[in-house]
Amino acid sequence: MNSLLFFALMNPVLAQDDLPGVAEECKEVARQGPPADYDEQAQADFILNYVAMGTTFSPLHGALGDEPGHGAIGVDLLGLPPLGCEQRLTLSYTKSEDTNKTPVAPRIRASFTFPEIAGLRVYSGWAYIPPVTLAGVRNVLLSGELGVGKALDSGLGLGARYHATMFKTIGEVATPFNPDDEAVDDLYLSSTFGLDLMASYSLEKFEPYLALGWTDASTFFLIGDDDYIGNNANPYWGPAVSIGSEFDLVDSVFTAAEVYWAPGAILTGRVRIAYAF
């Protein structure tokens, strides 16, 4: 049994009244107790999948990539919607996880589209978050994509892309059960990969697009306080939908915005700002 859960069960006054392991803003919800359909494993799995799917390498571009023989470099802003207390309370509502470190995660992104071959555009892209400590945690991310697209005379573009991401977080996420205890770093690892089918339509100043895909996620979570490994019994394996558009701002500068949805894991917005070369 997890030592944190054992502590809660053996100390009912602390667990039910004082709730030292629960964030102040969640204590009222925690005192009401978990709902009838509460499942400890499902609650933990949701949190692990939320972070993994929140850092996937979604398109943020049309079905054709960049112009043939050209590329782009810029920054992505990934939205990480704050989780409510009902979503981040664990151990039968006696503990809250510190998942809401930041509402936005920036990453550096570069891409290049090769010259057309037989009417097909082949492109690749990369994204990176360097190991810089932000909001008390150190994140490292490396993503890649490889895609192919074909432009039709009607202005429609059709394509497909493969993407993969490796993500690591070191920091205090599973906060101490007793707030007076010394903070100990936790380790979270995730990997995602998937395939998207894409369609876009080229207009004068913008290019709306739709991506329908399937994504697989794997996670590993080590709680530093007691070296407990949080096993994900239901890693995400399911659909991922992106709908958005590219917009030309000024010469050689463009942006893209999309809504990204992984059912049951995350619904969020993402933005890209880039310089084309």
Side-chain angles (χ1 to χ4, degrees):
M1 179 184 294
N2 184 350
S3 62
L4 297 180
L5 179 57
F6 177 81
F7 181 85
L9 294 176
M10 296 303 293
N11 294 271
V13 174
L14 290 179
Q16 297 175 14
D17 298 331
D18 295 338
L19 295 169
V22 175
E24 194 63 36
E25 67 272 16
C26 292
K27 287 189 175 181
E28 183 176 351
V29 176
R31 290 191 180 102
Q32 297 172 11
D37 60 350
Y38 176 83
D39 182 283
E40 187 65 49
Q41 185 65 57
Q43 188 83 331
D45 293 346
F46 168 79
I47 296 173
L48 296 174
N49 290 330
Y50 164 83
V51 179
M53 298 306 293
T55 53
T56 52
F57 200 32
S58 61
L60 279 168
H61 61 68
L64 305 176
D66 304 308
E67 290 297 318
H70 294 270
I73 185 168
V75 175
D76 290 355
L77 299 176
L78 308 180
L80 296 173
L83 294 181
C85 294
E86 293 84 357
Q87 295 172 306
R88 60 192 183 99
L89 282 166
T90 59
L91 300 179
S92 295
Y93 274 37
T94 64
K95 182 76 167 58
S96 60
E97 307 301 348
D98 190 10
T99 58
N100 301 337
K101 294 288 188 181
T102 175
V104 177
R107 67 185 177 194
I108 301 168
R109 181 171 184 153
S111 60
F112 184 79
T113 300
F114 301 94
E116 284 192 6
I117 301 177
L120 296 177
R121 296 190 195 179
V122 177
Y123 61 87
S124 61
W126 311 270
Y128 181 59
I129 296 178
V132 175
T133 300
L134 178 66
V137 297
R138 185 167 72 254
N139 298 315
V140 180
L141 176 145
L142 181 63
S143 296
E145 68 174 346
L146 181 64
V148 60
K150 181 175 179 58
L152 305 181
D153 293 338
S154 63
L156 184 67
L158 299 176
R161 63 186 285 271
Y162 173 83
H163 63 90
T165 294
M166 299 290 294
F167 180 67
K168 178 175 75 172
T169 290
I170 298 176
E172 186 189 33
V173 179
T175 54
F177 205 96
N178 187 335
D180 295 328
D181 290 346
E182 181 180 357
V184 179
D185 284 345
D186 307 309
L187 172 64
Y188 172 84
L189 303 172
S190 70
S191 64
T192 57
F193 65 89
L195 180 67
D196 293 333
L197 299 180
M198 296 192 64
S200 60
Y201 192 79
S202 181
L203 299 170
E204 183 177 356
K205 288 293 184 179
F206 62 99
E207 183 178 0
Y209 64 85
L210 171 67
L212 302 175
W214 199 268
T215 300
D216 177 271
S218 299
T219 68
F220 174 87
F221 187 43
L222 175 65
I223 300 176
D225 292 324
D226 55 5
D227 291 333
Y228 174 78
I229 295 176
N231 179 47
N232 190 340
N234 297 284
Y236 190 85
W237 188 74
V241 179
S242 299
I243 181 169
S245 181
E246 289 189 40
F247 304 88
D248 292 334
L249 297 178
V250 295
D251 289 344
S252 300
V253 178
F254 70 91
T255 186
E258 72 178 27
V259 174
Y260 177 78
W261 181 41
I266 194 170
L267 173 64
T268 186
R270 297 176 173 181
V271 175
R272 179 186 184 190
I273 302 174
Y275 170 78
F277 58 87

